[in-house]
Amino acid sequence: MSSFPSAREPQLALVLGGGGARAAYQAGVLRGIAARFPEFRAPLLTGVSAGAINASHLANHVGSWREKVDDLTKLWRRLEFDDVFRVDAVPVIWRVTRIGLRLSVGLPPGIDRANSMVDARPLRTFLQHSLGCDTGPLPGIARNIASGELSAVALTALNYDTGETITFVEGKEIEDWERPLRRGRNIRMTVEHIMASAALPLLFSPIAIDNEWYGDGGIRLVAPLSPAVHLGADRLLVISTHYEMPPFCRFRKKTAGPPSPAVVLGALYDAVFLDQLDQDAQQIERINRLLSKLPPQDRQNLREIETVVIRPSEDVGKLANDFEERLPRAIRYFMRRFGSQEAEEQDLISTILFHRDYIEELLKLGERDAERHADKVAKLLAR
């Protein structure tokens, strides 16, 4: 698809998309793969949004691949709502009230504006504890790069100030790159870079890095697979959280009447954070077919990239219906005011449903889907 640096050997990249709480599914898939392929190893790791949390954890862990995945699974299993954002009724109501006042009559003097629906500072504390760092670089990444276990890790965020998609990269012999509205930046990875990539718009506050403001990397990410390609991957294992709709399936109406705000926001989040990955994978397949018809001397340094995409075989939005009542009371109240109960599939709620029972179902689904794709993964690893 594009040329890679001559000093770098083509490698396998693990690409982890976004989806909020749905990213627990990725941990389930990885657990299934680790059980079936004990020698599995991905020297290149890329992540966006909640996938950035998973990618950074794998990159920072200094154990074996199986130990990395087992620890990631434990992380998801111990995660609670209040590890991600404050769920107390008063802070949530006060934030929503300030947003309402600002939109309607303006904020009275002396009252600070709210930049998000929830306070996500608990997530920063949780990540600092889980990754073993405070404000400095993630300590395990440099050790894994020095040992050769890891070539590079890349996390993507949106720069609100410039409108550019920025991919933060830590690795050896990595050069910055630039494309229209896309740039790669060589840095030392910190928790702030993870927070920036995972800052869901409207729900979480923007994150400041070097005096610039960043938000969720899924916004305006037109080529989700490009960071792995830029880093030299010739094989991609992509784990999406987008439901794998059966071929030629007739789409069901999600509501009886006009869509509620919850349905509209759910569709918007899917379109912004999930759909682009599928389109990018299809584009790679088209380019591969074209390259296969050209002799090597006419390929202009382009290369074929074998890609395996694993997606949920069950509708995780519909699965969230069974756990909607377990949302924190204040969050559930506002979600219902948005019309969440009118939807057959809780696409919006599934992104913030950090409940142990829902996460456990996603982990199990991921393990089952890893087994379903075992032959494709085996072929990918055999190259």
Side-chain angles (χ1 to χ4, degrees):
M1 184 176 175
S2 68
S3 60
F4 55 88
S6 58
R8 181 170 300 281
E9 292 293 331
Q11 300 177 85
L12 171 67
L14 177 63
V15 180
L16 302 175
R22 288 181 282 189
Y25 169 82
Q26 296 171 345
V29 172
L30 292 172
R31 184 175 173 82
I33 291 174
R36 183 69 179 266
F37 306 98
E39 301 304 316
F40 178 89
R41 175 175 167 268
L44 297 173
L45 299 170
T46 75
V48 61
S49 193
I53 297 175
N54 290 338
S56 60
H57 180 89
L58 296 170
N60 187 61
H61 197 289
V62 294
S64 67
W65 185 263
R66 183 58 188 261
E67 289 171 339
K68 295 174 188 283
V69 173
D70 284 346
D71 200 52
L72 179 63
T73 304
K74 292 176 183 177
L75 180 150
W76 278 101
R77 281 180 168 152
R78 69 173 181 265
L79 194 66
E80 300 279 3
F81 282 108
D82 53 12
D83 290 321
V84 182
F85 49 79
R86 292 191 63 183
V87 297
D88 316 65
V90 172
V92 172
I93 294 172
W94 178 228
R95 278 177 170 267
V96 174
T97 300
R98 282 184 289 165
I99 292 173
L101 286 173
R102 187 181 179 189
L103 292 174
S104 55
V105 298
L107 286 172
I111 296 180
D112 294 332
R113 68 183 186 182
N115 296 315
S116 62
M117 297 288 290
V118 298
D119 181 354
R121 284 179 294 181
L123 178 59
R124 178 182 287 106
T125 302
F126 180 83
L127 291 173
Q128 289 171 341
H129 175 75
S130 299
L131 297 170
C133 66
D134 188 3
T135 58
L138 275 61
I141 293 180
R143 291 175 59 185
N144 283 328
I145 291 173
S147 70
E149 174 69 18
L150 178 70
S151 295
V153 57
L155 311 182
T156 300
L158 176 73
N159 186 322
Y160 282 126
D161 294 319
T162 66
E164 294 176 301
T165 293
I166 304 296
T167 298
F168 300 108
V169 184
E170 182 170 354
K172 57 183 177 181
E173 301 177 3
I174 301 297
E175 297 182 359
D176 293 351
W177 68 80
E178 187 167 355
R179 298 290 185 273
L181 291 177
R182 290 189 287 127
R183 284 197 293 136
R185 182 182 298 173
N186 204 350
I187 51 91
R188 292 294 305 278
M189 203 69 69
T190 69
V191 168
E192 293 308 298
H193 296 101
I194 307 171
M195 291 291 295
S197 182
L200 288 167
L202 302 180
L203 285 173
F204 295 170
S205 294
I207 302 298
I209 299 176
D210 297 331
N211 297 317
E212 295 181 310
W213 292 97
Y214 292 87
D216 196 294
I219 308 171
R220 192 181 278 179
L221 183 57
V222 296
L225 306 183
S226 64
V229 175
H230 280 295
L231 293 175
D234 69 333
R235 294 167 293 159
L236 306 179
L237 177 59
V238 184
I239 308 179
S240 172
T241 61
H242 199 297
Y243 170 47
E244 184 181 6
M245 193 67 85
F248 310 112
C249 177
R250 180 180 181 274
F251 284 80
R252 303 183 303 275
K253 285 178 62 66
K254 296 190 176 184
T255 58
S260 67
V263 173
V264 173
L265 285 174
L268 178 62
Y269 269 53
D270 282 354
V272 171
F273 301 115
L274 304 178
D275 293 350
Q276 293 292 342
L277 190 150
D278 292 335
Q279 295 177 19
D280 207 17
Q282 289 181 358
Q283 183 72 0
I284 284 182
E285 291 179 6
R286 294 190 187 100
I287 294 175
N288 285 343
R289 289 196 294 269
L290 290 173
L291 290 177
S292 67
K293 299 180 183 300
L294 293 175
Q297 65 271 19
D298 294 334
R299 294 185 179 184
Q300 300 182 7
N301 292 325
L302 297 177
R303 68 188 186 277
E304 295 182 54
I305 300 176
E306 186 173 352
T307 304
V308 172
V309 181
I310 300 178
R311 307 177 182 86
S313 57
E314 298 179 21
D315 190 337
V316 294
K318 190 172 183 179
L319 180 64
N321 278 333
D322 299 333
F323 303 94
E324 185 268 348
E325 291 188 355
R326 304 182 197 186
L327 285 169
R329 182 176 299 177
I331 302 296
R332 185 174 69 245
Y333 172 82
F334 286 110
M335 287 294 102
R336 289 182 175 181
R337 299 289 76 75
F338 268 58
S340 62
Q341 288 187 305
E342 300 173 22
E344 292 184 9
E345 299 157 11
Q346 303 289 357
D347 291 332
L348 177 60
I349 285 178
S350 67
T351 64
I352 60 170
L353 193 50
F354 297 96
H355 190 277
R356 288 187 177 183
D357 293 342
Y358 180 62
I359 287 173
E360 190 63 35
E361 290 298 317
L362 292 177
L363 290 170
K364 292 177 181 177
L365 176 61
E367 289 193 62
R368 293 196 299 270
D369 287 346
E371 184 62 29
R372 290 177 59 242
H373 289 81
D375 291 344
K376 292 181 179 179
V377 175
K379 182 179 177 182
L380 185 72
L381 298 180
R383 280 194 59 186

